[in-house]
Amino acid sequence: MKSPMKHLMVACAALLVPAMGVSPAHALGPDEYTPPAENLLQQLQAMTGSQANLARTSLENLTTQDGGLIGPDDRVRGITMTATGRVVLSMSRELAPNARADECRGLLVFSDPINEQTSLEELTWTAFCPTAIGMPSWEAGSIQATGEVVAVGTRGMTLFYKIERSGYVTHFDHLTLYHEMSRDRNVGSSYSAGLVFNDRDNRFYTISAVGRAESRTVMARLCRTQATDVLAYHATRFGECTEFEAPVSGQGANLIMDFDGKMYLVSAFSGDEFYPDLSGRTPTGRPSVYTAACGEPPREWTAQDNRTVQMRPQDMFEDILRVSEIEYADFDNTSARDVFTADLGRTEEDDICVHERPAFRHGGGVSLQTSGNMLGLWAGSGVDDDGMFEFAVQPLSVSRPDELNYTVGFDCSVGDLTNEWTTSTLTATLYSLYWEEVGQASISGPGQFACDMGEPTIDVAASAHAEHVKITTSGDDGFMIDRLSLYSGGNEIAEFLAGDGRGWCLSTDPSDANGPWLAAALTGCEAEHVWSLSDLQVQQINSQFQD
């Protein structure tokens, strides 16, 4: 059974709470990055569509009848959500043949941020036309956000915009990426664009291609910045590019990084078979079946040559989710490998009737939030005559697997030193990549027997993947270790080894580093010390983190 809308809002708001604590080593602000996903494939396997929550919201103030920019023939081409929870749409405008050259042909339409008090039915929407800031008009394609920065696919280029927290839109002109595909150049009505930050190499990646409605492979281009580049910096460029074949959707092609450093392309396609199988019927016969089953005709029938009648595209196509791993380690020889495909079915409540959610046929895909969890997204085709717009959201979640049961192990028999053991309490605190605390546990200090005969351990149950391990001591009875190991689900995933008869000293008394331990204590004696998995280099806890 679908959750009530207010429960959905609580779930969405929980996903959208910004990460607190220290930013990563990369000099990014919260407006440019979205953390990696937790167990991406597991989350995508929970995407059913049948559990999506339909929202119907008013864009009446933006319609042409109210002096706005959106007309009844304008169509949604892509949907995404920023890290702060703005729903963002790309729309193409249907203009008269005699329209001026500078008339808006494409729009960004975005909501106010979602929070616990927000109703999806009562969002406030803003329309942005690029000509308002002197940009040439463009025809909209699919889009994706990282942080508050949105990549927009168009026929000739990928454009980048930042939606400021005030609602003002900044155009990152220096990032504009012109398309020079070796094949399929200028084919189709629009391009697709994906955008992601890769914390493993500190680069932004963007993908562009002529997106398709039905699942197929096309030539795609993957481009990236230099390491540690910031999108807002005027000298940043997507200057290194490679081309390869990949399944890219015209409705939504999202680049997502997983916690394990893998990059995925998640595409929202449409199946092209009528459901149930009515292939033997004439076009006029299919609406007759629909009418008989649903008690009403399909919406917006279109007469063709006064002989046939067809249903709208979302009445005739089913949703196909296709996921590929982008193997980019050898960047010049990047390739895409299919890892998961799912038929999410149609938008029907029963066999044929269409009134449950919009379809991928117009805009759809997934959006990653600051918690590492994702939302499935569907967009309606456009704005109705009464100014109403439909979209659907399905919160995806991760069941906590055994791999989130961590064990921290110590080797506290260090070279020729003596008295390495301690009577003080030791506490292990685990943090995510962006310094959210995900688990903590303590043990009484391991004595001499434990250090001489084995590996003292601390078991920690975590709520998410751990990237940083902090060990804290409660007292001034110095504890010396030369190796720290981290186990996940019983398997060792990291080892930090000092070597050469040296180690790390934990004590609330810095003077413990003097005397016999002077040469052995790598960083003196500290009350706490941090080890980070991201680069497997020992890091002291710094003043930024202490703040």
Side-chain angles (χ1 to χ4, degrees):
M1 178 178 295
K2 289 185 172 62
S3 300
M5 187 61 66
K6 64 179 182 180
H7 292 164
L8 171 66
M9 287 311 308
V10 171
C12 289
L15 296 178
L16 296 167
V17 174
M20 301 302 292
V22 175
S23 298
H26 189 283
L28 292 175
D31 291 342
E32 289 199 358
Y33 69 86
T34 301
E38 282 192 43
N39 295 314
L40 177 138
L41 292 178
Q42 184 185 92
Q43 292 197 64
L44 292 178
Q45 289 166 6
M47 189 170 174
T48 62
S50 62
Q51 299 300 313
N53 294 267
L54 182 65
R56 204 159 185 267
T57 180
S58 176
L59 276 67
E60 184 177 3
N61 65 309
L62 303 180
T63 60
T64 51
Q65 64 185 11
D66 290 297
L69 293 168
I70 302 174
D73 296 323
D74 299 340
R75 290 291 173 257
V76 173
R77 301 302 183 194
I79 183 171
T80 189
M81 187 179 286
T82 69
T84 58
R86 292 186 190 272
V87 180
V88 186
L89 311 172
S90 59
M91 297 190 71
S92 63
R93 300 190 67 216
E94 187 70 24
L95 301 179
N98 60 349
R100 301 189 315 272
D102 61 352
E103 185 76 14
C104 279
R105 298 181 183 276
L107 298 171
L108 280 183
V109 181
F110 54 91
S111 73
D112 49 355
I114 295 172
N115 58 44
E116 291 149 335
Q117 286 74 45
T118 307
S119 165
L120 289 180
E121 311 283 351
E122 299 175 358
L123 292 173
T124 300
W125 295 84
T126 302
F128 167 75
C129 173
T131 58
I133 56 171
M135 272 294 297
S137 187
W138 41 257
E139 296 182 25
S142 77
I143 60 179
Q144 186 183 0
T146 177
E148 305 304 305
V149 179
V150 182
V152 182
T154 76
R155 177 177 293 183
M157 63 195 82
T158 299
L159 300 171
F160 299 85
Y161 300 90
K162 178 183 174 185
I163 304 176
E164 308 286 351
R165 295 182 183 248
S166 64
Y168 180 80
V169 178
T170 300
H171 172 225
F172 286 166
D173 183 47
H174 57 280
L175 296 179
T176 299
L177 189 63
Y178 293 92
H179 298 312
E180 297 178 356
M181 308 298 295
S182 61
R183 284 188 284 154
D184 282 343
R185 189 179 180 185
N186 297 325
V187 176
S189 60
S190 65
Y191 271 75
S192 292
L195 178 65
V196 72
F197 173 64
N198 183 351
D199 60 75
R200 297 291 167 154
D201 63 7
N202 284 338
R203 299 173 185 255
F204 288 92
Y205 287 74
T206 185
I207 194 169
S208 55
V210 180
R212 301 297 183 179
E214 291 82 25
S215 179
R216 59 172 292 187
T217 299
V218 299
M219 185 60 66
R221 182 163 65 144
L222 187 71
C223 299
R224 65 185 183 182
T225 64
Q226 294 295 311
T228 73
D229 276 352
V230 177
L231 293 180
Y233 182 50
H234 65 87
T236 297
R237 300 288 188 275
F238 285 100
E240 187 178 3
C241 299
T242 186
E243 294 184 14
F244 59 101
E245 291 188 345
V248 181
S249 164
Q251 297 85 243
N254 304 135
L255 285 178
I256 306 285
M257 294 299 303
D258 204 357
F259 257 83
D260 58 8
K262 293 180 180 178
M263 182 186 297
Y264 293 95
L265 174 65
V266 183
S267 283
F269 290 108
S270 296
D272 57 1
E273 295 182 359
F274 190 81
Y275 176 86
D277 184 11
L278 302 175
S279 57
R281 296 183 181 270
T282 65
T284 53
R286 295 179 181 179
S288 299
V289 174
Y290 187 102
T291 302
C294 305
E296 58 182 14
R299 295 169 287 179
E300 297 184 11
W301 288 18
T302 303
Q304 293 183 349
D305 301 328
N306 296 320
R307 289 184 289 111
T308 61
V309 179
Q310 294 183 340
M311 289 184 285
R312 294 196 309 173
Q314 68 263 39
D315 297 338
M316 298 183 68
F317 295 91
E318 57 191 318
D319 294 340
I320 305 294
L321 193 69
R322 187 169 174 182
V323 185
S324 303
E325 181 183 346
I326 305 298
E327 298 179 331
Y328 64 96
D330 181 1
F331 190 72
D332 290 337
N333 295 304
T334 295
S335 61
R337 179 176 62 89
D338 278 359
V339 294
F340 177 66
T341 300
D343 186 338
L344 303 185
R346 297 178 179 274
T347 62
E348 300 85 3
E349 184 177 64
D350 40 42
D351 284 345
I352 315 173
C353 303
V354 181
H355 44 170
E356 279 302 292
R357 70 176 191 275
F360 281 162
R361 191 69 179 184
H362 309 291
V366 295
S367 178
L368 185 62
Q369 304 305 300
T370 55
S371 64
N373 286 358
M374 290 190 295
L375 302 173
L377 295 172
W378 290 260
S381 60
V383 179
D384 294 341
D385 291 338
D386 60 358
M388 300 303 290
F389 168 71
E390 289 184 347
F391 70 101
V393 180
Q394 181 183 354
L396 308 177
S397 60
V398 178
S399 59
R400 301 303 175 194
D402 184 56
E403 65 192 47
L404 296 184
N405 292 322
Y406 288 95
T407 297
V408 181
F410 309 96
D411 183 342
C412 44
S413 181
V414 182
D416 297 328
L417 301 183
T418 58
N419 299 321
E420 302 101 312
W421 51 275
T422 184
T423 58
S424 300
T425 298
L426 299 179
T427 299
T429 307
L430 305 183
Y431 297 89
S432 71
L433 179 65
Y434 297 104
W435 296 101
E436 297 171 299
E437 182 178 322
V438 297
Q440 186 180 88
S442 300
I443 60 170
S444 299
Q448 182 176 3
F449 181 80
C451 288
D452 288 345
M453 302 303 295
E455 182 185 52
T457 59
I458 304 177
D459 294 327
V460 187
S463 60
H465 282 280
E467 193 77 12
H468 311 283
V469 183
K470 181 178 74 173
I471 305 299
T472 305
T473 183
S474 66
D476 60 1
D477 184 13
F479 181 54
M480 178 72 80
I481 58 177
D482 66 352
R483 179 173 61 85
L484 181 138
S485 296
L486 185 66
Y487 303 87
S488 175
N491 299 312
E492 186 177 48
I493 61 171
E495 179 187 61
F496 301 90
L497 184 64
D500 297 327
R502 306 182 72 190
W504 299 280
C505 172
L506 290 172
S507 176
T508 57
D509 182 359
S511 66
D512 280 353
N514 299 327
W517 286 9
L518 180 61
L522 284 169
T523 56
C525 285
E526 314 159 287
E528 54 192 15
H529 196 90
V530 172
W531 293 260
S532 294
L533 279 67
S534 53
D535 55 6
L536 288 181
Q537 293 178 352
V538 177
Q539 297 179 352
Q540 280 187 286
I541 195 161
N542 56 49
S543 59
Q544 184 182 23
F545 178 64
Q546 289 174 330
D547 293 341

